[in-house]
Amino acid sequence: MDLSFYLKEYAPDGQKLTSYGFCRADGMWRYERQIEGSLYLVLTLEDEKFEARVWDKDFDDEYLPFNFEDGQNPIRAQAERIIGEIIEKCFVCLNVRTNAIEALERRFGTLHEAPWEDDPDSITFKTKLSKKWFAIMMRIPADRLGLKGRNLIDVVNIKLPPDKINVLIDNVHYFRAYHMNKTHWLSVKLDKDSDISEFLSLAEISYSLAERKRGKNRTTIFDTKH
């Protein structure tokens, strides 16, 4: 089974691989684990190649039924559960958007929502009590923030005190909010240089402000001048 597609979004952590039971020799990581009887899952990882096989040690040969995707393959199902666990525990996600989503959900115990059917890339995060938005993640053309190009970038809008927004604005990582009230909201650009810890600290302020406004009149969220 070719698992190389995982390497497009995940990078292996050598220390975690070792702790899990992987061995490294001649530039290759290797892992073996008994699945059932004489059947063993064998994983190999080298450069941009990541593969899984099931080996039958009684016959000293590959167990070919493992490769069949028929939905009724218990050996394959067991192997896929192990592989999923390894990806979760031993690999680092390279997708900043995914990292930010997971970080917000862990920190605030909330799940993101996709309220707009025609724009599934735009997702929202709500507070537990007031059920108000404290973070809105969008994928927009770079020039919408005054940057060069029309390439799509990921941004998160969060609510902050106006004086803090004024201090943070640098038009590199922090911008006047796209499509939202620019006095009370900030757009944070997500990229490989993003500091997730700093982002979460700002999100905590946003969360607090959203809860504080529960039951009170609030300023307009959306900005018609975007």
Side-chain angles (χ1 to χ4, degrees):
M1 180 194 295
D2 186 3
L3 304 174
S4 301
F5 63 90
Y6 278 116
L7 302 181
K8 294 181 180 179
E9 290 199 13
Y10 296 89
D13 184 312
Q15 185 173 352
K16 292 179 179 179
L17 288 174
T18 301
S19 298
Y20 195 89
F22 278 76
C23 296
R24 185 171 175 80
D26 299 325
M28 176 186 292
W29 290 98
R30 181 182 173 87
Y31 176 79
E32 284 192 16
R33 179 164 168 178
Q34 185 178 20
I35 295 181
E36 183 179 301
S38 63
L39 300 180
Y40 284 73
L41 173 64
V42 180
L43 299 178
T44 55
L45 173 61
E46 181 179 18
D47 297 328
E48 298 181 2
K49 192 174 183 180
F50 187 21
E51 292 183 326
R53 293 182 298 164
V54 169
W55 197 260
D56 189 333
K57 292 199 173 183
D58 280 351
F59 292 93
D60 192 26
D61 199 0
E62 187 173 358
Y63 180 73
L64 295 179
F66 164 69
N67 298 312
F68 300 149
E69 299 183 60
D70 59 7
Q72 302 293 326
N73 190 331
I75 298 301
R76 187 182 179 94
Q78 289 186 58
E80 288 177 342
R81 283 196 293 272
I82 295 170
I83 293 166
E85 180 181 90
I86 290 171
I87 294 298
E88 180 181 351
K89 293 185 176 181
C90 304
F91 284 67
V92 177
C93 182
L94 300 175
N95 189 314
V96 179
R97 176 185 169 93
T98 299
N99 285 336
I101 292 172
E102 293 178 350
L104 285 169
E105 292 182 338
R106 283 195 306 268
R107 177 66 63 90
F108 301 103
T110 184
L111 296 178
H112 70 273
E113 300 177 357
W116 301 286
E117 292 185 4
D118 61 341
D119 186 10
D121 286 331
S122 291
I123 59 177
T124 63
F125 298 82
K126 294 180 180 178
T127 61
K128 289 184 177 180
L129 297 179
S130 67
K131 303 301 180 182
K132 301 299 182 183
W133 295 344
F134 71 93
I136 300 94
M137 186 176 294
M138 298 171 285
R139 182 164 286 161
I140 63 175
D143 62 359
R144 297 287 179 86
L145 293 180
L147 299 172
K148 292 182 178 180
R150 294 280 299 172
N151 57 299
L152 295 179
I153 60 173
D154 291 305
V155 301
V156 183
N157 284 0
I158 54 177
K159 188 180 183 70
L160 293 175
D163 57 342
K164 189 167 187 65
I165 290 176
N166 291 333
V167 171
L168 286 171
I169 295 296
D170 60 6
N171 294 318
V172 177
H173 300 293
Y174 303 108
F175 303 79
R176 297 287 176 188
Y178 167 72
H179 199 41
M180 297 182 74
N181 186 297
K182 293 173 172 49
T183 300
H184 300 279
W185 290 80
L186 175 79
S187 284
V188 182
K189 181 173 176 280
L190 298 176
D191 57 27
K192 63 182 180 62
D193 297 320
S194 296
D195 186 329
I196 297 298
S197 296
E198 181 178 337
F199 166 67
L200 287 176
S201 296
L202 296 176
E204 287 182 348
I205 299 173
S206 184
Y207 189 100
S208 177
L209 288 173
E211 287 287 50
R212 189 184 304 170
K213 291 293 183 180
R214 183 160 54 104
K216 298 180 180 180
N217 293 327
R218 298 185 300 144
T219 55
T220 301
I221 291 180
F222 288 109
D223 185 349
T224 56
K225 298 179 180 179
H226 58 274

